[in-house]
Amino acid sequence: MTPVTLQLERIDKVYNPRGSRPVHAVRAMSMQLHKGEIGALLGSSGCGKTSTLRMIAGFESVSNGTITLSGRAIQDEPPARRNVAMAFEGYSLYPPLTVRENIAFALKARGRDPDGTSAKVKSIAELLEIDDILERRPSALSGGQQQRAGLARSLVRDADLYLLDEPMGQLEPRLRAMLRGRIKHYIKERGLTVILVTHDQTEANALADRIAVMEDGVLQQFGSPEILRDRPANRFVGAFIGEPPMNLLDADVEALDGGIRFALAGAVSLDFRSEAMAPGARDAALALGHVIVGVRPHALKLVREGLPARVVANQWIGDQSHVAVSFAGQTIVVVEHERVRLGSGEEVALAVEAKDLHVFDSLNGAALSHGGELA
Ligand SMILES: Nc1ncnc2c1ncn2[C@@H]1O[C@H](COP(=O)(O)OP(=O)(O)OP(=O)(O)O)[C@@H](O)[C@H]1O
Ligand SMILES: [Mg+2]
């Protein structure tokens, strides 16, 4: 087993705890990151990503809980003693130093030989395409250049853990996609343990081994991109991961002779034979009686004969058609990989297979089953 490098045990962050408006930014967050693993924190603005990183780095106190890094409890240690390298969301270069001096600073401060330092600075600067601006000072750099210099400065260090807060937020998409691949290679080659913060799903999927989805200070699920896609722990993760988002429909569950029915609004129903769902999954849905059924747009199909729907809008986005249809009293989206020539108002038919069904508890949102298997 790969050793655990970082362990968060029920950490909380409350800002202004005794003030008139306390903010509970992170709630009972627990997770483990293994040595050499890249974890991503993904979530909407204000969900607590930066607060979590700053507690790990030591720039914010932990209100509750423990943080263990390489076997040491670090939550009461000052930042400099934690051996954690952090690239900040904002820019944090030393203004009087050149980019080269900024990058070398962390290494020099630790008494490395100057020759080794300059080789390291050169190679990280080439990797991040900033080797042509090494002699400039931060005030003469664009936002994207400053960001890459900050990233270079953290990655070049020797640390137990690297915390990267939106490290490529300022870069244009093309450069970002290119650097993503290079940075991943650099991290994996050296076996670095990394937490990356992002609100870009593509970036999280491309870089991370596992993604922690956060909402409102609460960790919703920590799993590989495949697990988040195929087995979302709850309705929030199901809807949050994937583009376009998962379609969600309210359903009453009824037993059929030899099958199960999900009765939707507008007298539409999804009927499946018993064999399509494991007994436990079927029983769980029947026991609740009312559930939310989720189907990803990519899993829905337009067919000749099937469930009745009507086209609301149809966009070709270059490599796929996004067809919005009115179905069972709401608008849902179907993705087709061929160009679909359909105009609004046209009648179409849909097919849904049990293997593509996600069933959630309608009250607490917890997943009951995925593809007919118990969650
Ligand atoms: N110093 C502070 N004092 C009070 N509240 C704060 C402080 N810093 C952050 N918060 C609040 O804590 C919550 C979490 O903020 P945080 O910066 O961790 O979010 P984030 O997920 O990094 O968001 P973003 O994607 O916008 O960077 C927010 O509601 C924020 O307003
Ligand atoms: Mg942030």
Side-chain angles (χ1 to χ4, degrees):
M1 261 303 279
T2 326
V4 172
T5 289
L6 177 73
Q7 176 146 14
L8 306 182
E9 261 170 300
R10 297 190 63 80
I11 60 167
D12 273 289
K13 180 67 202 178
V14 183
Y15 293 105
N16 318 319
R18 278 169 285 281
S20 57
R21 279 203 205 141
V23 178
H24 205 157
V26 178
R27 296 167 189 261
M29 170 118 168
S30 297
M31 64 187 267
Q32 280 190 347
L33 200 66
H34 295 104
K35 186 163 170 42
E37 194 174 22
I38 307 179
L41 299 184
L42 180 68
S44 46
S45 186
C47 72
K49 305 181 294 295
T50 297
S51 300
T52 303
L53 280 202
R54 290 178 63 85
M55 283 191 283
I56 299 169
F59 301 119
E60 274 309 332
S61 63
V62 173
S63 309
N64 253 312
T66 55
I67 303 177
T68 312
L69 179 63
S70 304
R72 300 172 291 138
I74 57 163
Q75 72 273 3
D76 298 322
E77 285 190 7
R81 293 258 291 278
R82 297 189 184 198
N83 203 22
V84 169
M86 180 155 175
F88 293 87
E89 196 172 2
Y91 316 117
S92 57
L93 300 170
Y94 302 111
L97 304 185
T98 64
V99 171
R100 179 190 302 285
E101 289 162 343
N102 261 285
I103 299 173
F105 190 80
L107 293 167
K108 272 194 192 145
R110 293 170 165 257
R112 290 296 158 89
D113 73 289
D115 294 335
T117 297
S118 64
K120 280 186 179 170
V121 173
K122 185 167 178 286
S123 91
I124 192 78
E126 281 170 3
L127 183 108
L128 296 176
E129 307 261 326
I130 48 170
D131 46 324
D132 54 336
I133 52 167
L134 283 172
E135 308 317 325
R136 290 203 210 161
R137 288 187 210 288
S139 59
L141 300 179
S142 73
Q145 291 168 331
Q146 289 188 50
Q147 199 165 35
R148 280 176 284 157
L151 182 58
R153 195 178 57 180
S154 7
L155 284 179
V156 82
R157 279 186 56 188
D158 241 331
D160 285 340
L161 179 66
Y162 297 78
L163 304 174
L164 313 179
D165 197 353
E166 299 269 4
M168 292 184 277
Q170 295 290 322
L171 309 185
E172 84 246 21
R174 209 181 271 263
L175 182 60
R176 211 169 151 133
M178 182 184 77
L179 295 187
R180 209 153 62 202
R182 289 192 194 172
I183 291 168
K184 180 159 186 173
H185 182 76
Y186 178 95
I187 291 170
K188 287 297 174 188
E189 204 172 44
R190 289 163 180 76
L192 310 183
T193 310
V194 175
I195 302 185
L196 161 82
V197 162
T198 178
H199 44 237
D200 177 351
Q201 285 192 37
T202 310
E203 189 165 298
N205 281 322
L207 272 165
D209 299 303
R210 285 192 292 165
I211 301 172
V213 178
M214 293 181 75
E215 169 69 358
D216 214 6
V218 178
L219 176 63
Q220 304 289 322
Q221 188 171 9
F222 185 36
S224 67
E226 295 72 30
I227 291 283
L228 296 186
R229 184 195 61 207
D230 298 337
R231 308 186 65 78
N234 57 40
R235 177 197 166 146
F236 177 83
V237 176
F240 187 76
I241 298 288
E243 191 41 48
M246 183 186 279
N247 298 301
L248 297 168
L249 299 148
D250 277 308
D252 288 322
V253 192
E254 295 159 18
L256 295 180
D257 192 16
I260 185 167
R261 163 168 292 173
F262 295 93
L264 312 176
V268 180
S269 66
L270 307 176
D271 293 351
F272 300 106
R273 284 181 300 118
S274 293
E275 304 84 79
M277 290 186 92
R282 205 168 57 229
D283 293 347
L286 282 166
L288 281 184
H290 187 78
V291 297
I292 305 233
V293 166
V295 191
R296 296 207 180 275
H298 291 267
L300 279 172
K301 298 207 169 47
L302 295 173
V303 289
R304 215 170 271 282
E305 267 175 55
L307 301 157
R310 188 185 293 272
V311 176
V312 176
N314 179 9
Q315 317 180 55
W316 171 248
I317 61 161
D319 58 354
Q320 44 188 246
S321 290
H322 290 190
V323 189
V325 300
S326 153
F327 172 74
Q330 71 186 71
T331 301
I332 66 172
V333 176
V334 181
V335 170
E336 290 281 351
H337 289 274
E338 259 99 82
R339 184 157 193 168
V340 174
R341 312 245 172 218
L342 284 169
S344 58
E346 284 192 62
E347 309 225 341
V348 290
L350 297 181
V352 179
E353 290 185 65
K355 72 171 175 53
D356 298 316
L357 216 60
H358 301 271
V359 182
F360 303 102
D361 185 324
S362 56
L363 292 179
N364 64 15
L368 293 181
S369 66
H370 305 288
E373 299 294 329
L374 209 53

